[in-house]
């Protein structure tokens, strides 16, 4: 279905078109005129409007103090803006393959000009293989017009992401509308590389969010997790309490399962 709204910008680079649409309340980035790549509310330019991006922030529950974050795929910069506005001492590295996308984010989506944001125009696989930057959290949301980017389903990519994490770092992946065979392959690779130190959950949009831990999943009591969910909800203005409750249930089930062995 075509996106409803007025097209206010249309750009073409060597990889294809980049469209910006505007409605009465929102501004939308799309690469094909049909699927939302990103959506910004005009009255909340730093907010996270898409549910799966809110859910990806659940990785923050397990990081005591987040100082450095890496985002694979800038898009319109929604995740970048929310993180920068929520954490005043956080540095964000955003990797974007298309220079034209980065320019569109700056021009139409209020991407801030700050020395805490580093935009790297590079292929995600190449960047993460060669970077010497260690991150507390890495968000991997790599998609093309046909679905999940196959490069995200490579053991070498997952290993390089793990190596680019700090000791207690978390890799957060978004999996959406992916063929069953590809999903199963990714699950096997994650289990192998991260030694089953994984948590995953579904969100209403049909996306599956996976948290992969470089080392052991931190032990966190239910009450502490719910408290952190409330604090992050107030700080980030997104519904983090629901994900805190969801993850606390998952962790309880895991612990209960271990006790039965």
């Amino acid at each position: 279905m075509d996106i409803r709204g007025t097209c206010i910008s249309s750009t073409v680079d060597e990889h294809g078109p980049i469209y910006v649409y505007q409605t009465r309340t929102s501004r939308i980035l799309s690469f094909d005129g049909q699927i939302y790549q990103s959506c910004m509310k005009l009255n909340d330019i730093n907010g996270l409007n898409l549910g799966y991006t809110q859910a990806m922030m659940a990785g923050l529950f397990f990081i005591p103090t987040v100082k450095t974050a890496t985002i694979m795929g800038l898009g319109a910069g929604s995740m970048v803006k929310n993180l920068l506005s929520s954490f005043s001492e956080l540095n964000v590295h955003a990797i974007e393959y298309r220079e034209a996308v980065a320019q569109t984010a700056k021009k139409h989506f209020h991407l801030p000009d700050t020395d805490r944001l580093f935009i790297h125009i590079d292929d995600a696989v190449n960047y993460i293989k060669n970077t010497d930057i260690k991150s507390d959290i890495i968000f991997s949301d790599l998609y093309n017009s046909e679905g999940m980017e196959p490069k995200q389903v490579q053991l070498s990519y997952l290993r390089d992401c793990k190596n680019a994490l700090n000791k207690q770092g978390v890799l957060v992946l978004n999996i959406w509308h992916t063929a069953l065979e590809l999903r199963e392959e990714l699950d096997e690779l994650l289990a192998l590389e991260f030694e089953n130190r994984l948590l995953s959950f579904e969100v209403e949009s049909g996306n599956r969010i996976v948290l992969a831990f470089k080392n052991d999943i931190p032990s966190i009591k239910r009450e502490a997790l719910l408290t952190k969910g409330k604090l992050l909800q107030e700080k980030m203005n997104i519904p983090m309490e629901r994900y805190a409750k969801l993850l606390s249930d998952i962790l309880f089930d895991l612990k209960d399962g271990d006790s039965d062995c």
Side-chain angles (χ1 to χ4, degrees):
M1 182 180 293
D2 290 343
I3 295 173
R4 294 181 180 180
T6 301
C7 183
I8 63 172
S9 174
S10 177
T11 306
V12 178
D13 66 5
E14 64 270 31
H15 306 291
I18 301 167
Y19 301 108
V20 179
Y21 292 87
Q22 184 157 313
T23 69
R24 184 175 58 85
T25 60
S26 303
R27 192 165 288 175
I28 301 151
L29 177 69
S30 177
F31 295 148
D32 61 4
Q34 296 180 324
I35 296 175
Y36 284 45
Q37 200 285 332
S38 189
C39 181
M40 177 186 75
K41 292 293 186 182
L42 297 175
N43 64 354
D44 185 18
I45 63 171
N46 292 323
L48 287 177
N49 187 47
L50 299 180
Y52 84 89
T53 59
Q54 299 174 0
M56 291 182 78
M57 294 300 167
L60 295 170
F61 291 142
F62 302 94
I63 302 170
T65 303
V66 60
K67 296 181 178 179
T68 304
T70 294
I71 300 176
M72 299 298 194
L74 171 67
S78 296
M79 295 178 71
V80 167
K81 291 185 296 180
N82 188 267
L83 286 167
L84 288 173
S85 64
S86 299
F87 302 95
S88 61
E89 298 183 359
L90 174 64
N91 289 325
V92 177
H93 293 265
I95 293 74
E96 176 54 55
Y97 189 57
R98 302 169 68 178
E99 172 70 33
V101 171
Q103 293 302 322
T104 298
K106 293 176 182 178
K107 184 175 181 180
H108 296 286
F109 291 90
H110 301 277
L111 195 67
D113 181 11
T114 169
D115 59 7
R116 295 192 294 121
L117 172 59
F118 304 85
I119 299 176
H120 308 268
I121 305 302
D122 198 353
D123 174 80
V125 171
N126 183 66
Y127 172 84
I128 203 66
K129 180 180 180 179
N130 294 292
T131 186
D132 57 0
I133 295 167
K134 298 294 185 182
S135 295
D136 300 303
I137 190 164
I138 297 174
F139 299 95
S140 186
D141 183 24
L142 300 178
Y143 281 81
N144 56 38
S145 59
E146 298 178 356
M148 186 166 65
E149 172 58 55
K151 293 177 181 178
Q152 190 165 252
V153 193
Q154 291 182 357
L155 186 62
S156 58
Y157 172 74
L158 298 175
R159 180 167 297 159
D160 290 336
C161 284
K162 186 175 78 169
N163 289 337
L165 288 168
N166 286 324
K167 184 177 179 180
Q168 295 302 320
V170 184
L171 170 64
V172 184
L173 300 105
N174 171 46
I175 302 172
W176 174 72
H177 282 197
T178 302
L180 179 60
E181 183 178 343
L182 201 60
R183 287 184 63 158
E184 290 177 344
E185 182 180 358
L186 179 58
D187 287 344
E188 291 177 3
L189 293 177
L190 282 167
L192 175 64
E193 184 59 37
F194 288 87
E195 301 178 25
N196 287 310
R197 297 186 295 265
L198 306 168
L199 297 174
S200 68
F201 59 94
E202 304 280 342
V203 295
E204 293 177 358
S205 58
N207 299 61
R208 184 163 68 99
I209 306 302
V210 178
L211 310 182
F213 296 81
K214 183 169 184 174
N215 288 296
D216 291 340
I217 299 174
S219 177
I220 182 169
K221 293 184 178 180
R222 182 183 180 91
E223 183 178 341
L225 185 55
L226 296 177
T227 297
K228 190 159 188 178
K230 183 178 181 180
L231 292 173
L232 286 177
Q233 180 161 309
E234 294 172 354
K235 180 186 286 286
M236 305 178 76
N237 195 31
I238 55 177
M240 296 295 285
E241 286 186 280
R242 75 167 66 164
Y243 300 115
K245 184 178 186 304
L246 178 61
L247 282 169
S248 69
D249 291 341
I250 293 172
L251 288 168
F252 178 81
D253 289 342
L254 286 175
K255 185 177 179 180
D256 188 54
D258 290 341
S259 68
D260 291 340
C261 293

